C-alpha cells in the first residue's frame, strides 16, 4: 500500500503540464547553436492548436510568442518565433511581424509568417512595406504579394516592371503573372520590349497569367495571346502557345492534336502526345485511336504510347494497337507491342 501510495501521475508516464513561464523565458534567450530540444513542448502545443483549431489555446500561445518576440535577445529566437506564428498567427501578430520586414536578416521569416496569416491586414502590411524597403527585401515582398495574388498591388507592380533593378522588375513580372487578373495580364502584354528583364522571364510570367485567366474562364483573351505566340521562336514558346490553345478552345482541341501528330515539328508532336496522355477524354481517345492509321509512323508511335498511358477506352486502344502490329515500320510495331 505504501508503494502504490507513493506513486504520483508522473510515475506512470503521464505528462505534466508545461511550465510556460520557464519555457518562454528560455525561448527569449535562444541563440544559434543551442539545442531546440527543450522547446519541443512549445512546438507540440502550437502544432496541436493548429490542428485542433482550439481558439483559447492558440490565443494563449500567440500572446506568449509575441511577448517573447518583443523581448528576444537574438535573431535565432525571433526566427523561431516567426516560424511558429506562421502556423497559428492572427491579425494580432501583424504589427510586430511588419516591423521585422525592415530587418535584412529577419525579413524572410517575417514574410513567411505574414503570408500564412489569413487576414487582409497581413496583405496590407506587405503592400505598405513595399514602399519603405529596397533591394532583396523589396524583391521578397513582391514575391509574397504574388503568392497571395493581391490584386490591389497590381498598379504598383506595373510601375516596378520598369525599375532600375532588374531583379525587382523580374519579381514584379512574375508576381503579376501569379495574380493573373485582366489588368495584370494586360500589363504584361504591353510591356516595353526594351525592359532589362530577360525575354524568357517575361514570357513565363505571361504564361502563368494565362493559366490564371483560364481558371477564371477568360478563354478568349488567352486564345488571342496564344495565337500570337504560335509562330514565335524559341520552340518552347510555340509549345506553350499550343498547350494554351488546347485549353482555351476545347472544341478545336482534337483537330489541333491530329495536325500536330501528323506534322513535322517533333516538339509539337511530343506536346500533343503529352496532352493526350494526361488530359484527353474517353471520346477523344476513341476518336484518335480510330484515326491512328492515317498518321505518319512517328505520329503513330507517339500516339500509341500516349493512348495507353491515358488508360481511358482501353478497348479502342487495344484494337488500334493490334492493327498497328502489321505496320511496315519497326517503330510503329514496337510501340504497338509495348
Amino acid at each position: 500500500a505504501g508503494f502504490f501510495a507513493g506513486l504520483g501521475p508522473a510515475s506512470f508516464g503521464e505528462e505534466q503540464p508545461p511550465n510556460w513561464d520557464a519555457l518562454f523565458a528560455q525561448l527569449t534567450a535562444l541563440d544559434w547553436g543551442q539545442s531546440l530540444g527543450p522547446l519541443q513542448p512549445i512546438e507540440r502545443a502550437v502544432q496541436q492548436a493548429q490542428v485542433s483549431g482550439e481558439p483559447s489555446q492558440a490565443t494563449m500561445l500567440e500572446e506568449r510568442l509575441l511577448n517573447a518576440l518583443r523581448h528576444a535577445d537574438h535573431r535565432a529566437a525571433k526566427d523561431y518565433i516567426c516560424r511558429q506564428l506562421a502556423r497559428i498567427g492572427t491579425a494580432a501578430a501583424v504589427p510586430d511581424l511588419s516591423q521585422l520586414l525592415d530587418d535584412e536578416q529577419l525579413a524572410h521569416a517575417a514574410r513567411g509568417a505574414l503570408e500564412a496569416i489569413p487576414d487582409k491586414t497581413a496583405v496590407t502590411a506587405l503592400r505598405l512595406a513595399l514602399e519603405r524597403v529596397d533591394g532583396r527585401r523589396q524583391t521578397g515582398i513582391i514575391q509574397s504579394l504574388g503568392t497571395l495574388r493581391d490584386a490591389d498591388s497590381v498598379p504598383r507592380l506595373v510601375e516596378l516592371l520598369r525599375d532600375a533593378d532588374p531583379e525587382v522588375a523580374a519579381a514584379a513580372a512574375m508576381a503579376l503573372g501569379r495574380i493573373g487578373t485582366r489588368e495584370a495580364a494586360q500589363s504584361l502584354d504591353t510591356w516595353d520590349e526594351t525592359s532589362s528583364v530577360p525575354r524568357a522571364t517575361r514570357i513565363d510570367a505571361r504564361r502563368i497569367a494565362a493559366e490564371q485567366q483560364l481558371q477564371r474562364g477568360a478563354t478568349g483573351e488567352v486564345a488571342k495571346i496564344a495565337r500570337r505566340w504560335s509562330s514565335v521562336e524559341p520552340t518552347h514558346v510555340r509549345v506553350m502557345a499550343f498547350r494554351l490553345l488546347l485549353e482555351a478552345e476545347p472544341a478545336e482541341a482534337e483537330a489541333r492534336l491530329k495536325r500536330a501528330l501528323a506534322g513535322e515539328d517533333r516538339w509539337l508532336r511530343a506536346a500533343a502526345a503529352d496532352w493526350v496522355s494526361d488530359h484527353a477524354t474517353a471520346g477523344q481517345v476513341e476518336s484518335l485511336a480510330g484515326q491512328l492509321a492515317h498518321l505518319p509512323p512517328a505520329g503513330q508511335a507517339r500516339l500509341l504510347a500516349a493512348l495507353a498511358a491515358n488508360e481511358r477506352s482501353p478497348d479502342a486502344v487495344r484494337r488500334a494497337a493490334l492493327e498497328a502490329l502489321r505496320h511496315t515500320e519497326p517503330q510503329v510495331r514496337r510501340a504497338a507491342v509495348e
Side-chain angles (χ1 to χ4, degrees), residues 136-319:
R136 290 177 58 190
R137 285 171 297 167
Q138 189 176 46
T139 300
I141 290 173
I142 292 169
Q143 292 170 349
S144 293
L145 292 170
T147 298
L148 295 170
R149 297 178 183 173
D150 177 38
D152 290 337
S153 67
V154 168
R156 181 66 177 121
L157 292 174
V158 172
E159 294 175 0
L160 291 173
L161 285 174
R162 295 167 180 81
D163 194 88
D165 186 338
E167 291 189 6
V168 170
M174 297 305 293
L176 287 165
R178 292 188 181 97
I179 292 169
T181 62
R182 183 174 185 179
E183 181 184 0
Q186 288 178 343
S187 72
L188 296 172
D189 289 342
T190 58
W191 195 353
D192 185 358
E193 290 292 327
T194 63
S195 169
S196 60
V197 179
R199 184 168 178 265
T201 301
R202 301 203 303 272
I203 292 173
D204 197 32
R206 189 59 184 89
R207 173 189 60 80
I208 295 171
E211 291 170 352
Q212 295 294 330
Q213 289 179 293
L214 283 174
Q215 291 181 13
R216 297 198 319 274
T219 55
E221 295 177 26
V222 174
K224 182 178 178 181
I225 189 70
R227 286 195 196 92
R228 191 196 311 170
W229 288 344
S230 294
S231 58
V232 172
E233 295 294 342
T235 300
H236 78 273
V237 178
R238 292 188 291 106
V239 170
M240 177 177 65
F242 174 73
R243 289 173 174 162
L244 288 173
L245 283 169
L246 290 174
E247 296 283 346
E249 298 178 335
E252 301 177 31
E254 190 176 319
R256 278 199 174 90
L257 290 168
K258 290 176 182 176
R259 288 196 297 271
L261 290 164
E264 297 295 325
D265 190 323
R266 63 190 182 97
W267 296 107
L268 286 184
R269 192 162 58 235
D274 287 344
W275 197 91
V276 170
S277 174
D278 297 334
H279 302 293
T281 64
Q284 289 171 331
V285 167
E286 292 179 11
S287 177
L288 290 166
Q291 296 292 315
L292 183 74
H294 301 290
L295 296 175
Q300 288 194 44
R302 273 284 192 178
L303 181 56
L304 278 167
L307 292 171
N310 181 282
E311 296 185 351
R312 295 184 178 92
S313 298
D315 290 340
V317 178
R318 189 179 300 109
R319 288 193 297 271

